[in-house]
Amino acid sequence: MVEFIFNDTHFKKFEEALATPLDRDIPGGKKVEGFVKGCTGVSAKGMEKGTIGHDYVLKWVNSDSDIRTKCAIILAWGGMRNPDRDLLFGQEDQGWVGVAKKLQTIEITRKAAFEEFTERRRKNNLKGMGCAYFTKLIYFLQFHKNAHSAKGYIMDQWVAEAVNLLVEGPDIVKLDTSLTLKWKGRSEVRQSAETSSLVSDKNTGQDYENFCAAIEALRNKINEERVVKLTRAQLDRALGGSSRAEDNDKWRPHVKKQRLEKMELFGN
């Protein structure tokens, strides 16, 4: 079993951000009815017309709906681009739907599901859906009452960056990061630096398992002295942070600042 050591400075910053918790159920992503209507072979009957929150997705996950419908709703919540949706649902299924279906049972672990998704992606049989999106399927479908007890987490750029920052040692998640310099306002001399990351396809099932295990260790550490324990959903939300000004989130700006400093050091 891997033992995780957390960086004191970044852990304190994260605890400060937890003092003003983010709403896990805030609506976002794509308008679900319109998104689902574009999914080949999926009915949007009975769905909301607008954007949806976390609890709405959970309601569908534990319903009797077919697995493609559940996946479409999860991906709408996640804000998948329409061209990627069209690629994913328009191609002949090469087994990803079966993997998703098994996630609702004890038949498959989070690690094994990740490996099955990545193997299909490696063979070009999972067009339109990379790590950041198929881990959303793992995360949500494992809320099903019959799913495996070891639950997966969403491995998008923000949660991955957060875990890499919080855990001491080599990066757990492989990220492809870029640095962009843009002219700022009307200035002819000043430039603003911006960074962005993508979760690499080079991540393995073991990388994902270590990522999830690190989050679980973090949750245990945080909950040691809390009367009201932090849930899996709340921790996932906190690690991802927010870019909405009204949320006044302190964590994502810290992560972005650290990523920029890392890129500038790398450039030197």
Side-chain angles (χ1 to χ4, degrees):
M1 184 176 178
V2 179
E3 182 178 352
F4 300 97
I5 299 171
F6 296 101
N7 179 284
D8 285 339
T9 301
H10 301 314
F11 182 79
K12 287 176 183 176
K13 284 285 185 181
F14 187 61
E15 280 195 310
E16 289 171 13
L18 287 174
T20 52
L22 298 170
D23 183 1
R24 171 72 280 186
D25 200 38
I26 189 168
K30 296 294 185 71
K31 294 180 178 181
V32 65
E33 184 189 57
F35 181 90
V36 173
K37 279 182 177 178
C39 297
T40 304
V42 181
S43 170
K45 184 179 179 180
M47 294 183 190
E48 296 284 349
K49 293 188 180 297
T51 56
I52 55 174
H54 188 271
D55 292 349
Y56 182 90
V57 181
L58 295 188
K59 181 185 76 172
W60 280 87
V61 164
N62 278 294
S63 74
D64 294 329
S65 300
D66 68 276
I67 190 62
R68 286 172 64 88
T69 299
K70 295 178 183 182
C71 290
I73 291 169
I74 292 167
L75 297 173
W77 175 89
M80 176 179 267
R81 295 170 60 249
N82 288 352
D84 290 332
R85 171 203 64 188
D86 297 343
L87 275 174
L88 180 66
F89 284 89
Q91 66 188 309
E92 181 181 349
D93 174 35
Q94 298 290 334
W96 74 267
V97 175
V99 179
K101 191 171 185 178
K102 285 193 290 185
L103 278 163
Q104 301 175 113
T105 73
I106 61 170
E107 290 181 43
I108 195 167
T109 64
R110 61 197 182 193
K111 178 184 176 183
F114 188 95
E115 289 172 341
E116 291 208 34
F117 282 130
T118 52
E119 177 64 12
R120 283 163 177 78
R121 189 159 172 83
R122 186 183 67 81
K123 292 180 177 178
N124 205 29
N125 291 329
L126 195 59
K127 296 175 183 176
M129 186 163 68
C131 294
Y133 279 99
F134 65 66
T135 56
K136 288 177 174 67
L137 299 186
I138 296 173
Y139 168 81
F140 273 110
L141 292 171
Q142 286 197 317
F143 272 99
H144 193 279
K145 59 184 180 293
N146 296 327
H148 199 281
S149 58
K151 311 297 187 183
Y153 286 84
I154 298 172
M155 198 163 84
D156 65 9
Q157 65 160 318
W158 295 115
V159 183
E161 291 276 13
V163 169
N164 284 349
L165 195 60
L166 284 163
V167 178
E168 292 279 17
D171 287 348
I172 291 175
V173 182
K174 300 176 181 73
L175 289 159
D176 297 327
T177 304
S178 59
L179 173 66
T180 305
L181 297 176
K182 294 184 177 180
W183 292 110
K184 191 175 180 181
R186 297 181 179 180
S187 170
E188 295 183 358
V189 292
R190 290 182 301 167
Q191 290 180 317
S192 62
E194 297 178 4
T195 57
S196 62
S197 293
L198 288 172
V199 180
S200 172
D201 282 336
K202 300 299 183 183
N203 285 289
T204 66
Q206 189 58 54
D207 292 331
Y208 183 62
E209 180 61 30
N210 291 341
F211 165 79
C212 293
I215 295 176
E216 288 169 346
L218 177 67
R219 182 180 168 194
N220 290 337
K221 179 177 174 65
I222 291 168
N223 282 342
E224 281 177 357
E225 298 180 4
R226 289 173 68 100
V227 175
V228 180
K229 306 302 183 185
L230 203 64
T231 67
R232 178 166 73 109
Q234 289 169 334
L235 181 54
D236 176 84
R237 176 75 169 111
L239 284 167
S242 174
S243 60
R244 297 179 355 134
E246 57 267 39
D247 287 335
N248 195 30
D249 176 46
K250 300 293 192 300
W251 179 242
R252 186 177 290 188
H254 176 71
V255 173
K256 291 176 74 173
K257 181 174 182 289
Q258 296 303 310
R259 182 169 68 182
L260 178 59
E261 289 180 3
K262 182 178 179 180
M263 287 296 290
E264 289 175 337
L265 286 172
F266 182 79
N268 290 331

